[in-house]
Amino acid sequence: HKSVSRNDLRLADLKPRLGKTSLIMSLVSEEFPDDVPLRAEEITIPADVTPERVPTHIVDYSGNNSNVTANVICIVYSVNNKKVPLILVGNKSDLVEHSSMETILPIMNQYSDIETCVECSAKNLKNISELFYYAQKAVLHPTGPLYCPEEKEMKPSCIKALTRIFKVSDLDNDGILNDNELNFFQRTCFNTPLAPQALEDVKNVVRKNVTDGVKNNGLTLKGFLFLHTLFIQRGRHETTWTVLRRFGYGDDLELQQEYLFPLLKIPVDCTTELSHNTYLFLQSVFDKHDKDRDCALSPEEVKDLFKVFPYMPWGPDVNNTVCTNDQVSQVLLLVHLSPHYLFGFLTRNKRIDLQKKQTQRSVFRCNILGARGSGKTSFLQAFLGRNLQKQRKIREDHKSFYSINTTYVYGQEKYLLLHEVMPDMDFLSEADLACDVVCLVYDVNNPRSFEYCAKIYKQYFMDSKTPCMVIASKSDLHEARQHYSLTPLDFCRKHKLHPPQPWTCNTVDAPGKELYTKLTTMAMYPHAKLRCMCSCNWCTFCICQNILRSQLLRTIKAKFYRVILNRLGDVWASLLADEERSLIQQVHGVRNVEESIYMESSVDPCVAQPRHMAQANLKSSTFWLRASVGATVFAVLGFAMYRAIIKQR
């Protein structure tokens, strides 16, 4: 239902003594009042006693106050030109034997603002409850936005909204609502499926009245619109309004902002990524509109997909944001940038990742900063596999400030989102600083290019925990001496940064992705000062990282710990048993010293065997205890030294 906190309902007349006050008094007391006051007090009907579950505030309206507004106005045998629903009420029907509806209906048809006409009697309690029910219905389910009585058809805005709802409910995108899709629509809007016989009855009604309303035993768009027209003509406006509001439409038949942009609070140090269910949903939407089954969406298919959207979420720049080919563009929705469009999940706080020195995230953001003309845009486009020759064919207004693609870090697939930040030395916003890694780009051929990078780093990132990388762009050109107190290499050494990384996109083939992999690695491990930032899987660092993350090593470590713990448990149990035997022997020795001496001098060697066996067991247990503890200490120290070496790297 419409979100209305209270219905303001006012009864008005243009002449006195027409009985509007009697209507209110009869509703409250359920009997005709003998003594009718000149004006009734304002009353509020609770929500739990109204059919629509909405509280209603009733005011005995005086014609002298014409500026007072209301949700609905009941005018007794009169009309006015207010843009709110009107109900025409004929009162005192108990005083006449004939109906006046024949006289009133032409007036109702003449004025489209009049929702309905009602004859009632306050004295006989005739149609009193019905009058106020229609008043509530006029507010919650108005006819005006849906239907044009003069032309006897739905208005264009209503047809547009219902057409979108039809396309959303058409799960297989074949232009027909089959029985499963009709039941899905019914459960979505009314929380209950249709019985098989009810489905057939609905389709039979459409077959009898509309040509091509039913096709392949399913409901077409033409038949779907006819059904809602029939609902409205028969006074069942609430059915159509329930459908419209369930799909996010307001009284003006426009999608509400709360529906388009649901409230989502994202903590500062958290990011958004696609959840598994959202990924499956997007895959189903993609497959639904990929009619030629080429695993890509052509421009026509993309246009068809976004027909259910109020507007296109992107323009031609999307082809320069994600990977494309010559004919079709693959759809990759940037939930990291626009989480309100999709349902995803929040990653944990970055500070926790730093404490744990590991992350489960799969999307990392890199902000690209540099002076104008330093090559930032080329760096973004090269990430999509485009060399300088292909980049020159891109129109300036089609270029994007973002690009996203996959990288592989130690065999794990990750997404790196590049964002080009426009140069502005005076101010960088929080969005410009909120990222996982920073890329400072300067032009080696421009002597004043590096100065911008140095100032930005010293002003914003020198005391930050965000890792930074310096890119020496256009490395195929002559390297000019930078007009700065330090050379780029000395600057990086002074601030303990990696040396400037040479880069160019002026290549014959597609530019390499090594630098982008390094950036992703720095974003994943901001706590480590990695000297080797690659994923070549050949160098010592990559091999060590792969070994540490291998399932075989984890299994061996688990078994090793289990064996040591079990062995330590056995040793301690043996030691406790031997200690208990020793105490028992000491107690017996104290009890009778002479008997003990006699037994030691006269006993058979075989009798003394248990004592010598206990001493042997003690020596064996001590040996295994020392060996186990030594092995454990050696393993722990070795692993700690290894981790320390890796951390330094």
Side-chain angles (χ1 to χ4, degrees), residues 578 581 608-620:
D578 293 341
R581 294 192 190 97
Q609 185 177 359
R611 197 180 93 175
H612 294 291
M613 289 292 293
Q615 292 175 352
N617 289 338
L618 179 60
K619 293 180 180 180
S620 176

Side-chain angles (χ1 to χ4, degrees), residues 11 123 179 215 237 261 286 304 311 327 331 335 337 346 358 389 425 443 447 455-456 470 479 509 540 590 606 611 637:
L11 279 75
K123 184 175 183 179
D179 289 354
K215 184 178 179 181
H237 310 82
F261 304 101
F286 186 96
D304 180 62
Y311 51 83
Q327 297 177 350
V331 175
V335 68
L337 300 178
L346 294 177
Q358 59 182 355
Q389 184 178 359
M425 274 300 300
D443 182 0
K455 291 182 178 179
I456 285 291
V470 178
E479 184 174 0
D509 299 326
T540 304
V590 172
C606 295
R611 197 180 93 175
L637 290 177

Side-chain angles (χ1 to χ4, degrees), residues 389-406:
Q389 184 178 359
K390 291 185 178 180
Q391 293 181 24
R392 288 172 177 170
K393 299 178 181 179
I394 303 175
R395 292 172 47 179
E396 287 295 328
D397 57 339
H398 287 182
K399 292 182 179 179
S400 174
F401 294 107
Y402 296 92
S403 67
I404 187 169
N405 206 348
T406 56

Side-chain angles (χ1 to χ4, degrees), residues 259-552:
Y259 180 83
L260 292 174
F261 304 101
L263 181 62
L264 178 61
K265 295 182 179 180
I266 304 176
V268 178
D269 292 331
C270 296
T271 60
T272 55
E273 295 185 7
L274 292 178
S275 65
H276 179 67
N277 291 335
T278 305
Y279 179 85
L280 295 178
F281 169 75
L282 291 178
Q283 185 66 47
S284 66
V285 172
F286 186 96
D287 296 338
K288 171 181 175 180
H289 292 87
D290 183 18
K291 296 182 179 180
D292 52 9
R293 296 295 181 265
D294 62 348
C295 297
L297 297 183
S298 64
E300 292 76 16
E301 291 170 338
V302 172
K303 185 177 180 180
D304 180 62
L305 187 154
F306 288 112
K307 280 184 178 179
V308 300
F309 282 57
Y311 51 83
M312 285 287 288
W314 53 55
D317 58 333
V318 69
N319 295 332
N320 302 310
T321 305
V322 297
C323 294
T324 63
N325 55 36
D326 295 336
Q327 297 177 350
V328 292
S329 64
Q330 297 178 354
V331 175
L332 179 60
L333 299 179
L334 305 181
V335 68
H336 190 89
L337 300 178
S338 304
H340 298 286
Y341 290 141
L342 297 171
F343 290 103
F345 67 90
L346 294 177
T347 61
R348 70 181 181 184
N349 196 297
K350 293 181 183 178
R351 285 176 290 184
I352 300 178
D353 287 345
L354 290 174
Q355 294 173 1
K356 300 289 186 180
K357 296 185 178 181
Q358 59 182 355
T359 180
Q360 300 298 325
R361 294 168 54 196
S362 59
V363 181
F364 299 91
R365 179 166 178 163
C366 173
N367 284 0
I368 313 297
L369 295 97
R372 296 184 184 276
S374 59
K376 300 188 300 297
T377 304
S378 298
F379 190 74
L380 264 67
Q381 292 302 312
F383 191 31
L384 305 178
R386 297 169 183 169
N387 56 20
L388 185 61
Q389 184 178 359
K390 291 185 178 180
Q391 293 181 24
R392 288 172 177 170
K393 299 178 181 179
I394 303 175
R395 292 172 47 179
E396 287 295 328
D397 57 339
H398 287 182
K399 292 182 179 179
S400 174
F401 294 107
Y402 296 92
S403 67
I404 187 169
N405 206 348
T406 56
T407 59
Y408 290 88
V409 179
Y410 308 125
Q412 303 178 42
E413 184 183 55
K414 301 295 180 181
Y415 288 95
L416 181 63
L417 172 64
L418 302 182
H419 174 210
E420 178 185 351
V421 179
M422 296 303 295
D424 187 356
M425 274 300 300
D426 297 332
F427 175 75
L428 286 181
S429 64
E430 292 185 2
D432 299 333
L433 303 176
C435 59
D436 301 300
V437 62
V438 175
C439 185
L440 301 172
V441 182
Y442 77 96
D443 182 0
V444 300
N445 191 244
N446 184 354
R448 299 186 179 276
S449 182
F450 180 74
E451 182 181 6
Y452 179 87
C453 296
K455 291 182 178 179
I456 285 291
Y457 177 81
K458 293 171 65 176
Q459 183 175 354
Y460 292 101
F461 301 105
M462 186 168 63
D463 298 327
S464 171
K465 294 184 179 180
T466 305
C468 298
M469 176 186 287
V470 178
I471 301 294
S473 177
K474 306 178 185 180
S475 59
D476 58 305
L477 302 179
H478 172 70
E479 184 174 0
R481 181 180 177 83
Q482 296 294 322
H483 293 177
Y484 191 69
S485 58
L486 296 174
T487 65
L489 180 59
D490 293 337
F491 180 87
C492 293
R493 288 176 177 173
K494 178 181 178 181
H495 296 281
K496 298 180 181 181
L497 299 174
H498 300 291
Q501 305 292 310
W503 176 83
T504 181
C505 62
N506 190 12
T507 58
V508 177
D509 299 326
K513 299 180 66 174
E514 293 80 8
L515 277 181
Y516 307 103
T517 304
K518 292 180 181 180
L519 289 170
T520 311
T521 307
M522 294 175 65
M524 288 182 63
Y525 304 104
H527 55 277
K529 296 182 179 179
L530 305 175
R531 294 178 183 175
C532 174
M533 299 180 304
C534 66
S535 59
C536 63
N537 292 324
W538 291 102
C539 66
T540 304
F541 181 75
C542 291
I543 293 174
C544 292
Q545 289 292 335
N546 290 332
I547 292 175
L548 286 175
R549 289 170 174 78
S550 65
Q551 186 63 34
L552 178 61

